[in-house]
Amino acid sequence: MLQNMESEVLKKRLSNVKERIKKAAIDCGRDPDTVRLVAVSKTMPKDRVREAIKAGADILGENYIQEARDKINALSSYPVSWHFIGHLQSNKAKYAVKLFDMIHTVDSLKLAKELNKQAKKINKIQKILIQVNISMESTKSGVHEEDAQKLIKEISLFENILIKGLMTMPPFFNNPEEAGPYFSALRALRDNIRDKAIKNVNMQELSMGMTGDFEVAIKEGATLVRIGTAIFGERN
Ligand SMILES: *Cc1c(COP(=O)(O)O)cnc(C)c1O
């Protein structure tokens, strides 16, 4: 009974988030199909994640390799895509490449080099995003804006990596509108790099926007919104 109720709540929350995404896109004149939802399932047990998949979540975002490995293996019969959105250490690159279709958080040449090496071993072209520390907060990961182009040029030479765009996390604001300038700065950087037409670099994706600010991010051009709490509820 409880199980049933919980899965109904999850279903409602998910469809509510999808509606909000659609509305935000339409409100700013964008095609809703250009915004995809990454349902962030970190810390959620595999049964909850399975419910979300059954309710229509088709991209799942995870932050921790060990935790993700157990869930991905348990749910391998579902045709969903897994994205890594946590901080990745080079010594875990091997697992990340095996498990994830897209890695959102590449911010160093060292990490990219290791991902390339591991991807080559299993004959895979690993899709990645470059994480940019737009707000320059010392506590945040990500390459600084002024170093992003150089890093992207260097990574573009790796044969088993395909750069698909940029990712950022702005500071937290009580008023989500205040995150707008950070999102628009990421978009401007994306456009700028796209104009350079670097070989092997595709700048179509902008991964930005979470539960508190995704509508603002969509207005500023997000193509991937990473939403956890609004779908799964508060994390412990
Ligand atoms: C946890 C997390 C999210 C989801 O955050 P919510 O506020 O729960 O939507 C998005 N992006 C990253 C990188 C995260 O770590």
Side-chain angles (χ1 to χ4, degrees):
M1 229 3 233
L2 186 65
Q3 177 88 44
N4 267 337
M5 241 171 68
E6 276 183 4
S7 83
E8 280 310 307
V9 171
L10 187 62
K11 222 187 228 169
K12 281 229 174 69
R13 284 205 184 114
L14 181 64
S15 71
N16 189 283
V17 165
K18 284 184 173 176
E19 275 308 309
R20 283 172 62 191
I21 290 172
K22 195 169 161 187
K23 182 173 184 310
I26 290 169
D27 284 352
C28 62
R30 295 184 57 193
D31 172 358
D33 290 343
T34 63
V35 185
R36 282 171 306 146
L37 169 63
V38 179
V40 176
S41 48
K42 64 172 173 231
T43 78
M44 295 299 152
K46 63 176 185 296
D47 291 337
R48 295 275 289 157
V49 185
R50 183 187 288 109
E51 297 291 349
I53 293 171
K54 284 185 172 168
D58 56 2
I59 308 176
L60 286 306
E62 287 281 342
N63 289 57
Y64 312 103
I65 294 289
Q66 178 69 46
E67 181 195 327
R69 185 159 56 165
D70 297 341
K71 285 187 236 180
I72 295 173
N73 287 335
L75 300 170
S76 64
S77 61
Y78 295 96
V80 294
S81 178
W82 295 89
H83 286 199
F84 189 77
I85 64 169
H87 179 68
L88 185 59
Q89 282 163 338
S90 298
N91 62 0
K92 301 268 175 67
K94 176 174 145 190
Y95 305 105
V97 163
K98 276 195 188 130
L99 295 168
F100 292 96
D101 296 317
M102 175 100 90
I103 298 169
H104 289 223
T105 48
V106 178
D107 63 357
S108 74
L109 191 62
K110 179 176 176 231
L111 174 58
K113 197 172 179 178
E114 190 60 25
L115 289 169
N116 183 58
K117 183 175 143 195
Q118 298 298 338
K120 197 174 211 131
K121 277 191 194 162
I122 60 168
N123 210 6
K124 178 184 184 184
I125 305 290
Q126 178 65 54
K127 286 182 262 184
I128 66 163
L129 304 177
I130 302 299
Q131 182 173 2
V132 185
N133 186 354
I134 285 278
S135 59
M136 309 257 276
E137 287 169 286
S138 59
T139 53
K140 288 239 164 88
S141 312
V143 62
H144 283 181
E145 197 174 342
E146 67 271 21
D147 302 324
Q149 189 176 317
K150 177 167 174 278
L151 177 64
I152 287 171
K153 271 197 177 142
E154 290 168 341
I155 295 177
S156 73
L157 301 175
F158 292 138
E159 284 180 351
N160 289 70
I161 287 192
L162 182 59
I163 301 175
K164 296 281 287 179
L166 305 178
M167 178 273 206
T168 201
M169 280 177 80
F172 175 80
F173 296 105
N174 283 316
N175 173 9
E177 293 296 335
E178 289 179 50
Y182 297 93
F183 295 140
S184 73
L186 192 74
R187 182 200 182 136
L189 178 65
R190 191 274 310 262
D191 292 350
N192 195 328
I193 294 171
R194 191 169 55 186
D195 290 347
K196 302 286 188 304
I198 303 166
K199 204 178 147 217
N200 202 27
V201 174
N202 164 326
M203 277 281 132
Q204 99 195 31
E205 307 288 2
L206 281 177
S207 167
M208 55 191 198
M210 317 188 345
T211 289
D213 56 18
F214 70 87
E215 278 128 332
V216 180
I218 290 170
K219 199 162 94 191
E220 302 297 344
T223 63
L224 290 163
V225 288
R226 311 178 308 266
I227 302 177
T229 309
I231 297 169
F232 292 99
E234 294 289 340
R235 290 179 291 273
N236 289 326

